[in-house]
Amino acid sequence: MPGPPPPPLASSGPMSQSNGPRPTVTAQHLSGLFKDAQSMLRQLTEEAEQIRRAIAHNDENVRQVIEEIDRDIEDETFERKDAFDRLRLEFESFAHRKTEKVVQELEEFTKEQLVKDSARARQLEDLGGEVTRMKDHLCFIGHTWRRAVMAITDPSNGMGEQWDGAEEQDAHSTSLSRPRT
């Protein structure tokens, strides 16, 4: 239920002439009436200003925290890039050293193989020469045996005299065909 109606205000005009005394509204009544509203308005304004200051303070704190986080991220990014660069350079240096070592070992291996191959080639040449001399000697021995067998089986052939001369000639050719060491 609504409360009692407000008292009518005093006014000038045909309706203001009513029957009976009417209370008049004074400045004191009005100031008392608006005093509560003004204090409430002042209190709300102060609270709004405090909220505004708190928001501004919080915004500044958040801005500082964000800037600090950004600096930390930049520092960490720089540190990671620096660490990555150092790691990359270290790896490249390691890889370069290992590559050089492998290349050097391959060169040494190749040189050793060339030395071994040339030694083997000389051995093969020497063996080939010895095999050739051996074949010559075996042919000479076979030829000498054939003459000896012919001289023994047919003494009338006169090979006995030739036999003595052939031995001297064969001995001379054998001494010339021996390998020089």
Side-chain angles (χ1 to χ4, degrees):
M1 270 194 150
L9 297 174
S11 64
S12 59
M15 296 198 90
S16 62
Q17 297 172 1
S18 62
N19 300 338
R22 288 197 165 202
T24 59
V25 178
T26 64
Q28 234 177 11
H29 280 250
L30 288 176
S31 71
L33 178 67
F34 289 111
K35 193 175 200 178
D36 290 338
Q38 286 176 349
S39 68
M40 185 75 103
L41 183 61
R42 190 176 316 115
Q43 185 180 6
L44 287 175
T45 305
E46 287 174 4
E47 284 180 18
E49 187 61 33
Q50 285 177 350
I51 291 172
R52 216 174 298 140
R53 276 190 240 130
I55 289 173
H57 181 71
N58 287 343
D59 284 350
E60 184 61 30
N61 287 342
V62 168
R63 192 175 301 117
Q64 288 175 356
V65 168
I66 289 173
E67 288 175 0
E68 186 176 324
I69 290 172
D70 283 344
R71 282 191 300 271
D72 289 346
I73 289 173
E74 285 178 20
D75 291 345
E76 191 171 321
T77 302
F78 178 75
E79 289 173 4
R80 285 186 181 184
K81 284 182 181 179
D82 188 43
F84 181 74
D85 288 343
R86 278 186 276 128
L87 183 63
R88 183 179 48 84
L89 290 174
E90 186 177 323
F91 175 75
E92 287 176 357
S93 173
F94 174 77
H96 184 68
R97 283 192 312 263
K98 288 297 181 180
T99 302
E100 285 180 353
K101 186 176 178 181
V102 167
V103 167
Q104 184 180 9
E105 288 178 2
L106 282 173
E107 288 174 352
E108 289 174 4
F109 179 75
T110 304
K111 287 178 184 177
E112 289 175 8
Q113 289 301 317
L114 287 174
V115 168
K116 287 179 182 178
D117 288 348
S118 62
R120 285 184 191 133
R122 272 186 262 122
Q123 281 181 334
L124 288 174
E125 288 175 10
D126 291 346
L127 284 174
E130 287 180 28
V131 166
T132 302
R133 281 191 294 274
M134 189 177 219
K135 287 186 340 188
D136 291 342
H137 288 286
L138 287 174
C139 286
F140 176 72
I141 291 171
H143 184 58
T144 305
W145 272 104
R146 188 179 52 174
R147 281 194 269 168
V149 168
M150 287 174 74
I152 293 173
T153 55
D154 191 16
S156 65
N157 194 4
M159 290 287 284
E161 294 172 11
Q162 288 179 351
W163 174 255
D164 293 331
E167 284 178 354
E168 290 175 20
Q169 187 180 12
D170 288 340
H172 184 267
S173 67
T174 303
S175 67
L176 291 178
S177 65
R178 282 199 175 146
R180 297 177 191 166
T181 55

